Amino acid sequence: MRLTKIMHVAIGMLFACCASFTLAAGLRLVDIPATKTIPALKAAIWSPCSKQPESSQVAAFMVSASRNCPLDVDKLPLIVISHGFTGSMYSHHDSAEALADNGFLVVSLNHTGDSGMSMKYPWDMLAFERRPIEIKRVIDYMLGEAIEASQIDSSRIGVMGFSRGGFTSLVIAGGEPDFAGSEVRCKMDRPLCRQLEQEARGTRQWVRDDRVKAAAALDPLNAFPSAANLAGIKIPVFLWISEKGGDGVEPDTEAKLHKLLPTLRDYKVVQNAGHFAFLAPCAEALVKEEPEICQDAPGFDRTAFHHDLNASLVAFFRTALTP
């Protein structure tokens, strides 16, 4: 379901009225304290900033931001980003920067035990179950304990996720997975592979958060086989998927999602894109060293794609989180 012509005009007016608000992205790294049930979480907070950003290489990516930039804007909408399997809080830094440049406060985290920084239990259903719990904890922290808490508009909160993170966005928005009934499978001798065949709907209590008012899912793992699994989602949804898939994400399975989401606002199949095209463009020096995540199909321009993707994400969240 694509945006209507009227909505496109409205978005154009929003960009026109807010063009002078475009700033550079600030970046602050935080350790979110542990609770009785959730371990400490490492996260990055991206914010509007009046200073010029500096570029630095972090893992495979070139991050452009101004460290520890003072935040002097109030009533900011909040976006929380959930990375994919073996990802990190920097996997979608360009999207975080683009959103911050356009007046959003953005938090990206390293998921416990299921990130490139902490591979404690990525091959267990616990990795999926804990993800929405950690997103809820991040929101609690940002609204209560973070130094930016008083500058956040708690009525305008969104989530964005890729792959397993896209799955997480749909769960936190109200989706209820049914792994056994879905087409998600794996062929290795891992606990997760056996659990996928047994985890029927209702087996676990999946956490949702009604404070979240908009959700973006990028090539999400589809563990939602029927409309009933997604009936709990009442908020606007952004869904972009790759034509070619990869890393366990099957294009045919992903394509079934859009017909089941009643509140879908922006849907696109990205032509010639593989699964990892949704990751931020890699630092040029690492493209040959990290072919799985950095190299795309012949003729596919990841930088140009991300320009379109990030502009669309900004437009979606601006519209969906308008009071």
Side-chain angles (χ1 to χ4, degrees):
M1 183 185 301
R2 297 184 181 278
L3 293 170
T4 64
K5 184 177 180 181
I6 293 176
M7 190 172 292
H8 277 299
V9 172
I11 289 170
M13 293 174 65
L14 270 170
F15 273 113
C17 76
C18 301
S20 60
F21 189 66
T22 300
L23 303 170
L27 172 62
R28 187 169 76 88
L29 303 182
V30 296
D31 289 320
I32 298 177
T35 67
K36 291 182 179 179
T37 58
I38 306 170
L41 301 171
K42 291 190 176 297
I45 299 175
W46 313 80
S47 61
C49 176
S50 58
K51 295 181 179 180
Q52 276 295 114
E54 297 180 358
S55 294
S56 59
Q57 185 169 322
V58 180
F61 308 111
M62 290 299 297
V63 176
S64 181
S66 178
R67 291 290 298 271
N68 301 316
C69 182
L71 182 62
D72 56 4
V73 186
D74 290 326
K75 295 295 182 181
L76 291 173
L78 174 68
I79 308 296
V80 183
I81 297 179
S82 176
H83 63 72
F85 176 61
T86 73
S88 78
M89 58 188 175
Y90 294 108
S91 295
H92 306 280
H93 71 87
D94 67 314
S95 298
E97 292 161 12
L99 287 162
D101 286 348
N102 284 277
F104 293 84
L105 193 65
V106 184
V107 186
S108 54
L109 73 152
N110 288 342
H111 281 291
T112 306
D114 187 26
S115 75
M117 308 298 125
S118 172
M119 296 288 284
K120 186 176 181 181
Y121 44 74
W123 289 105
D124 190 283
M125 194 62 70
L126 184 64
F128 289 93
E129 184 180 34
R130 293 194 66 86
R131 279 171 164 268
I133 294 172
E134 292 177 349
I135 296 296
K136 187 175 186 299
R137 169 61 182 138
V138 169
I139 295 173
D140 289 343
Y141 171 80
M142 292 304 300
L143 296 182
E145 304 162 59
I147 61 175
E148 299 87 355
S150 64
Q151 294 163 285
I152 297 171
D153 184 345
S154 62
S155 69
R156 293 192 291 159
I157 298 175
V159 295
M160 168 193 146
F162 162 69
S163 196
R164 288 189 182 192
F167 161 89
T168 305
S169 291
L170 295 175
V171 171
I172 203 77
E176 186 178 346
D178 176 3
F179 282 91
S182 75
E183 298 176 44
V184 179
R185 292 290 181 270
C186 60
K187 300 178 181 179
M188 294 173 283
D189 184 19
R190 305 267 192 170
L192 177 61
C193 301
R194 295 187 290 273
Q195 291 167 340
L196 290 176
E197 299 175 359
Q198 302 166 2
E199 289 277 347
R201 184 182 179 191
T203 301
R204 296 174 186 263
Q205 295 297 313
W206 295 94
V207 168
R208 67 179 294 171
D209 194 324
D210 291 334
R211 295 172 296 183
V212 173
K213 304 302 182 185
L218 311 179
D219 233 17
L221 185 76
N222 182 7
F224 310 93
S226 72
N229 299 107
L230 297 166
I233 298 180
K234 309 296 184 183
I235 61 176
V237 174
F238 177 106
L239 175 65
W240 281 25
I241 65 175
S242 63
E243 180 189 28
K244 296 180 178 296
D247 199 38
V249 172
E250 300 294 336
D252 291 344
T253 302
E254 301 308 290
K256 296 176 182 179
L257 266 176
H258 84 280
K259 295 181 179 179
L260 305 178
L261 285 163
T263 56
L264 192 60
R265 293 281 185 86
D266 193 334
Y267 172 66
K268 184 175 184 177
V269 178
V270 184
Q271 299 302 305
N272 203 28
H275 184 57
F276 293 114
F278 286 97
L279 293 176
C282 292
E284 187 174 348
L286 287 180
V287 173
K288 292 183 179 180
E289 295 181 23
E290 301 283 351
E292 184 179 13
I293 67 169
C294 294
Q295 291 184 5
D296 299 297
F300 185 85
D301 186 334
R302 189 182 299 197
T303 299
F305 163 57
H306 274 252
H307 182 273
D308 293 340
L309 170 64
N310 293 337
S312 296
L313 286 167
V314 169
F316 166 73
F317 280 121
R318 271 185 172 163
T319 303
L321 297 179
T322 297

